[in-house]
């Protein structure tokens, strides 16, 4: 007995998506066909994969295809596939809800950058709703391949908050999406327009996309293929144009922009496979919005049989921005997702993919610096994760990193570690750097003063990941990487003697400051770093930078309180004022301000900002 028809409300977030899609994509209406064909292709891929274990699923209709038809009289467009289909629960799950952890961020991005909306469609599984850009009603008829004809499902909605659900008789498996076009969308009822869109967006879909033949400008009952229906990656490279590569990338990555670069390779031997890997020109949406948990991975095929849409095992996390396909010849066809994670052959494929991607990035850095600059601006921070995650390729990744520098052009990150080493004077044996949470904080740090005075170049690292990354990059090309804020400053014999004399002379002052500051500092000492500023913080070699500690605490991490070393410049007027101040309360205010300004410069969070303001006012008023 068929279940009764029912009417349901969309989830609140689906309703928001529908509203934004239908009101924001007026300049990219044609995207609906790409998305519906992409969904149909996925359904065919899934059936082909499931049929490996259960051949009966495709019995009687094993030629998988996608049909696009139109009816001028009824003003409808129908996209039908004979893929895996959906049962009632799957229809509700796939269309009535959005089961994506990134949906809210998707909605925020859609609301905030209307002009860029189109490139976001499809990246969170919301591509189906683009149908409502051109249709005022959408009907879906679907029957799962393993279900009887009586368990077909009819879904229908005008996109205004509700949908109806009904059990119907469907003789054939698969899914039909019927678009009832709006009054002003007649352009999509023309055969040439539909064919043009198929060639533009879906030409390399690996299933035949069929359209009715025409006679006297009317569709007939005969079908003809409108796309090339061949897997692009299987063709010889000599037969593929740049336009073909770009077209395939756009259909693969749901991107309106061209790919920045790509690499297409065939590996023959004991293990044969083909890779086609792309570098996007800008971050995909899932990467921009914190996508370590939402990355797409590569599409994995085995002997051209689709296995996985997001084979994350084929690339490490730090290369999650790469898009592409891998087609292996000699993996077992019945491989499951669990077995896939343990398959040794996949480790070899992964190593090859990583090598190809790094080769491609290195080639950009060497031969196309402008493209490399575009790449680095988009993905430099993501690439830095590889320093910690991929010990085998750490040196290669480090060679690709770029930083600002005290000899560079403001905040521009274009200095490589090789550039730095090439400029090192004779006798310098370390690569010096400073980390901070902004360029201004790094470039203006008092800890740089002695290095600037000596003409020593310092790399300025101000991305949030830098302090974490540098913990895994202690050496490059035999040169130690050292922070100007940690450990001892390099001094020649004359400077050492001068430093010792200054420290001995300042012993009473150092004791006074330590007594005034108490437990807020671990030690007070004369600085070899300062020439102009009165004070700064100094850290041990293994101590966490204050700005990173602040960020981690803001993120909810429970970190032990540290007692920093305060370094002072005894020649500075403010320090001399502390030394000369007889009133203990005023001296304590001055000493505390010396510490607090050092903490602020280092990116630390003051324990009591209100007290700092009151203290500053007392000192200013005398």
């Amino acid at each position: 007995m068929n279940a009764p028809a029912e009417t349901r409300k969309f989830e609140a977030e689906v309703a928001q998506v529908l509203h934004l899609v239908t009101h924001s994509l007026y300049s990219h209406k044609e995207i609906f066909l790409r998305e519906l064909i992409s969904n149909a292709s996925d359904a065919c891929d899934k059936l082909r994969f499931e049929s490996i274990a259960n051949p009966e699923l495709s019995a009687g209709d094993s030629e998988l295809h996608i049909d696009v038809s139109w009816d001028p009289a009824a003003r409808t467009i129908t996209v039908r596939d004979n893929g895996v289909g959906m049962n009632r629960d799957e229809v509700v799950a796939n269309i009535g809800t959005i089961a994506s952890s990134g949906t809210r961020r998707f909605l925020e991005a859609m609301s905030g950058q209307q002009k860029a909306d189109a490139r976001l469609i499809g990246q969170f599984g919301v591509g189906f709703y683009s149908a409502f850009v051109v249709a005022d009603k959408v009907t879906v008829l679907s029957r799962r391949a393993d279900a009887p004809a009586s368990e077909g499902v009819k879904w229908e909605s005008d996109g205004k908050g509700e949908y109806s659900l009904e059990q119907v008789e469907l003789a054939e498996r698969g899914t039909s999406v019927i678009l009832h076009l709006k009054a002003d969308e007649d352009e999509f009822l023309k055969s040439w327009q539909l064919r043009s869109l198929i060639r533009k967006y879906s030409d390399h879909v690996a299933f035949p996309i069929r359209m009715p033949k025409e006679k006297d400008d009317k569709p007939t009952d005969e079908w003809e293929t409108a796309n090339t229906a061949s897997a692009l990656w299987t063709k010889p490279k000599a037969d593929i144009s740049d336009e073909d590569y770009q077209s395939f990338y756009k259909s693969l990555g749901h991107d309106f922009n061209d790919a920045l670069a790509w690499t297409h390779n065939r590996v023959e031997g004991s293990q044969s496979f083909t890779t086609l890997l792309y570098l996007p020109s800008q971050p995909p949406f899932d990467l921009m919005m914190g996508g370590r948990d939402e990355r797409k991975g590569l599409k994995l095929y085995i002997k051209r049989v689709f296995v996985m849409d997001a084979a994350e095992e084929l690339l490490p996390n730090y290369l999650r921005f790469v898009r592409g396909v891998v087609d292996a010849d000699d993996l077992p066809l019945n491989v499951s997702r669990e077995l896939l994670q343990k398959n040794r052959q996949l480790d070899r494929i992964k190593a090859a993919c990583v090598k190809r991607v790094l080769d491609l990035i290195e080639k950009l850095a060497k031969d196309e610096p402008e493209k490399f600059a575009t790449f680095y601006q988009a993905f430099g921070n993501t690439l830095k994760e590889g320093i910690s995650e991929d010990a085998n390729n750490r040196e290669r990744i480090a060679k690709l990193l770029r930083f600002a520098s005290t000899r560079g052009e403001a905040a521009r990150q274009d200095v490589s570690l090789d550039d730095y080493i090439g400029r090192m004077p004779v006798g310098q044996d370390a690569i010096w750097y400073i980390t901070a949470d902004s360029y201004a904080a790094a470039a203006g740090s008092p800890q740089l003063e002695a290095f600037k005075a000596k003409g020593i170049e310092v790399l300025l690292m101000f991305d949030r990941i830098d302090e974490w990354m540098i913990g895994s990059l202690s050496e490059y090309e035999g040169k130690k990487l050292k922070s100007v804020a940690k450990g001892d400053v390099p001094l020649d014999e004359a400077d050492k003697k001068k430093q010792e004399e200054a420290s001995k002379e300042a012993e009473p002052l150092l004791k006074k400051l330590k007594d005034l500051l108490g437990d807020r500092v671990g030690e007070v000492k004369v600085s070899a770093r300062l020439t102009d500023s009165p004070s700064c913080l100094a850290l041990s070699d293994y101590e966490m930078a204050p700005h990173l500690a602040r960020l981690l605490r803001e993120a909810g991490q429970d970190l032990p309180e540290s007692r920093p070393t305060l370094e002072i410049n005894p020649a500075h007027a403010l320090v001399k004022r502390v030394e000369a101040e007889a009133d203990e309360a005023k001296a304590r205010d001055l000493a505390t301000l010396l510490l607090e300004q050092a903490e602020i410069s280092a990116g630390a969070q003051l324990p009591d900002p209100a007290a700092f303001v009151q203290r500053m006012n007392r000192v200013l008023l005398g």
Side-chain angles (χ1 to χ4, degrees):
M1 180 177 176
N2 288 354
E6 60 177 311
T7 299
R8 298 188 179 191
K9 287 187 177 295
F10 283 116
E11 278 190 344
E13 289 183 345
V14 175
Q16 288 178 269
V17 168
L18 282 168
H19 176 80
L20 287 167
V21 166
T22 55
H23 290 83
S24 300
L25 294 183
Y26 52 85
S27 62
H28 293 288
K29 295 178 180 180
E30 63 193 39
I31 194 177
F32 80 91
L33 190 59
R34 181 193 77 180
E35 292 305 317
L36 295 181
I37 289 175
S38 177
N39 290 346
S41 175
D42 288 345
C44 291
D45 269 330
K46 289 172 183 174
L47 178 65
R48 188 160 63 174
F49 182 49
E50 290 188 21
S51 295
I52 296 169
N54 187 2
E56 293 181 3
L57 291 178
S58 57
D61 188 14
S62 59
E63 296 296 323
L64 298 173
H65 54 81
I66 301 163
D67 293 343
V68 177
S69 59
W70 72 103
D71 185 335
R75 306 193 75 261
T76 62
I77 295 174
T78 300
V79 178
R80 168 165 173 73
D81 66 76
N82 61 344
V84 72
M86 295 178 284
N87 59 32
R88 186 185 184 92
D89 291 341
E90 289 170 330
V91 168
V92 172
N94 293 336
I95 303 179
T97 63
I98 302 179
S100 168
S101 60
T103 302
R104 186 164 300 282
R105 295 198 298 275
F106 167 84
L107 292 169
E108 291 169 356
M110 287 281 285
S111 302
Q113 46 186 28
Q114 300 279 326
K115 292 181 181 178
D117 291 345
R119 69 183 179 85
L120 309 182
I121 295 298
Q123 296 194 21
F124 278 97
V126 298
F128 168 80
Y129 304 111
S130 62
F132 288 98
V133 175
V134 296
D136 52 22
K137 184 171 74 171
V138 177
T139 304
V140 177
L141 300 171
S142 190
R143 196 198 94 196
R144 213 181 191 288
D146 55 5
S150 61
E151 294 184 9
V153 184
K154 179 181 179 181
W155 179 99
E156 194 165 75
S157 177
D158 60 5
K160 295 179 180 177
E162 295 182 338
Y163 63 91
S164 65
L165 203 59
E166 183 180 355
Q167 187 169 325
V168 295
E169 185 92 10
L170 292 178
E172 299 176 326
R173 68 159 195 268
T175 301
S176 296
V177 181
I178 305 164
L179 282 63
H180 306 264
L181 295 185
K182 296 175 181 177
D184 55 349
E185 304 298 346
D186 290 353
E187 63 177 297
F188 297 113
L189 289 171
K190 295 179 174 62
S191 170
W192 65 267
Q193 174 73 324
L194 295 174
R195 290 177 191 275
S196 173
L197 293 179
I198 289 170
R199 284 194 296 270
K200 180 178 180 180
Y201 292 117
S202 309
D203 197 45
H204 297 294
V205 168
F207 300 99
I209 302 173
R210 307 189 312 180
M211 290 185 65
K213 289 184 178 180
E214 288 184 279
K215 186 175 183 181
D216 299 327
D217 292 328
K218 293 182 180 180
T220 68
D221 293 334
E222 289 188 69
W223 296 90
E224 60 184 356
T225 300
N227 67 324
T228 58
S230 64
L232 180 81
W233 62 88
T234 63
K235 296 180 179 180
K237 287 192 283 187
D239 296 343
I240 308 174
S241 67
D242 285 357
E243 185 179 349
D244 290 333
Y245 278 119
Q246 294 287 15
S247 175
F248 180 69
Y249 166 74
K250 290 173 184 177
S251 66
L252 179 77
H254 298 282
D255 199 343
F256 275 92
N257 302 294
D258 283 346
L260 189 67
W262 59 86
T263 176
H264 184 189
N265 299 281
R266 173 72 181 167
V267 175
E268 301 282 1
S270 59
Q271 185 175 12
S272 300
F273 57 92
T274 300
T275 61
L276 175 52
L277 308 173
Y278 289 91
L279 298 180
S281 57
Q282 61 185 24
F285 181 63
D286 59 322
L287 188 79
M288 288 190 300
M289 308 308 288
R292 285 182 69 88
D293 296 330
E294 292 158 6
R295 60 198 174 90
K296 298 296 184 184
L298 302 176
K299 288 183 179 288
L300 175 63
Y301 291 79
I302 298 175
K303 298 177 181 175
R304 292 188 61 186
V305 175
F306 173 80
V307 174
M308 252 193 230
D309 184 53
E312 298 177 353
E313 297 81 4
L314 296 178
L315 280 176
N317 276 318
Y318 73 93
L319 296 179
R320 61 187 177 274
F321 49 82
V322 176
R323 296 293 181 258
V325 298
V326 173
D327 192 346
D329 288 354
D330 48 4
L331 289 174
L333 277 175
N334 62 345
V335 67
S336 69
R337 290 177 186 264
E338 290 73 31
L339 288 174
L340 199 58
Q341 295 171 1
K342 302 173 184 176
N343 193 290
R344 290 184 179 180
Q345 292 167 293
L346 278 177
D347 291 337
R348 300 189 189 101
I349 296 176
K350 178 178 180 178
C353 288
V354 171
K355 180 181 183 302
R356 294 298 183 187
V357 173
L358 294 180
D359 285 347
L360 181 60
I361 299 172
E362 287 173 352
K363 186 174 185 299
L364 284 184
K366 180 181 177 182
D367 300 334
E368 299 183 80
E370 289 186 6
K371 280 191 176 183
F372 177 77
T374 300
F375 163 81
Y376 196 79
Q377 183 177 6
F379 305 112
N381 277 355
T382 314
L383 189 66
K384 287 176 182 177
E385 295 174 17
I387 294 294
S388 176
E389 294 178 1
D390 189 355
N392 292 332
N393 290 295
R394 184 172 295 151
E395 195 86 359
R396 292 190 71 184
I397 298 167
K399 191 177 288 287
L400 295 168
L401 302 184
R402 300 292 185 269
F403 305 98
S405 158
T406 50
R407 292 189 189 175
E409 298 179 23
R412 186 174 176 183
Q413 294 176 302
D414 59 357
V415 178
S416 70
L417 295 176
D418 288 331
D419 293 334
Y420 183 99
I421 291 174
R423 294 197 288 257
M424 284 171 56
V426 176
Q428 183 179 337
D429 59 358
I431 299 171
W432 292 98
Y433 69 89
I434 186 170
T435 60
D437 56 3
S438 69
Y439 169 74
S445 173
Q447 294 159 332
L448 294 176
E449 291 174 0
F451 290 84
K452 289 179 178 178
K454 293 176 179 293
I456 299 174
E457 182 177 10
V458 178
L459 297 177
L460 307 177
M461 302 184 184
F462 48 86
D463 291 324
R464 285 191 171 190
I465 192 175
D466 286 338
E467 178 74 21
W468 174 78
M469 172 205 71
I470 210 70
S472 300
L473 187 63
S474 58
E475 186 176 306
Y476 177 78
E477 295 288 350
K479 305 291 184 182
K480 296 286 187 183
L481 273 80
K482 293 185 178 181
S483 170
V484 299
K486 296 182 179 181
D488 295 325
V489 176
L491 299 173
D492 57 27
E493 290 302 319
D495 287 335
K496 283 181 182 179
K497 186 175 181 181
K498 185 177 178 182
Q499 176 74 6
E500 289 171 0
E501 291 173 353
S503 296
K504 187 173 182 179
E505 186 179 338
E507 281 180 359
L509 172 61
L510 298 177
K511 183 178 185 307
K512 180 178 182 179
L513 285 169
K514 181 66 174 76
D515 291 342
L516 290 168
L517 294 171
D519 290 340
R520 287 195 61 178
V521 296
E523 185 182 0
V524 182
K525 57 193 281 190
V526 173
S527 179
R529 294 174 169 84
L530 301 173
T531 59
D532 301 317
S533 299
S535 62
C536 71
L537 295 185
L539 307 174
S540 68
D541 287 331
Y542 303 104
E543 196 170 351
M544 185 181 298
H547 70 275
L548 179 60
R550 172 174 55 81
L551 291 173
L552 291 175
R553 289 192 180 98
E554 290 173 353
Q557 297 289 326
D558 187 17
L559 301 178
E561 292 294 333
S562 63
R563 297 170 64 199
T565 295
L566 177 67
E567 292 192 352
I568 61 163
N569 176 5
H572 195 278
L574 184 56
V575 178
K576 288 182 177 294
R577 186 175 166 187
V578 179
E579 187 176 21
E581 182 60 64
D583 186 300
E584 184 175 346
K586 291 183 178 180
R588 180 171 285 105
D589 277 346
L590 289 167
T592 306
L593 285 176
L594 281 176
L595 173 62
E596 288 175 332
Q597 66 174 266
E599 290 175 331
I600 292 171
S601 295
Q605 188 170 19
L606 296 182
D608 190 347
F612 166 74
V613 172
Q614 294 167 5
R615 190 176 299 113
M616 178 68 76
N617 290 341
R618 287 197 299 269
V619 170
L620 290 174
L621 291 172

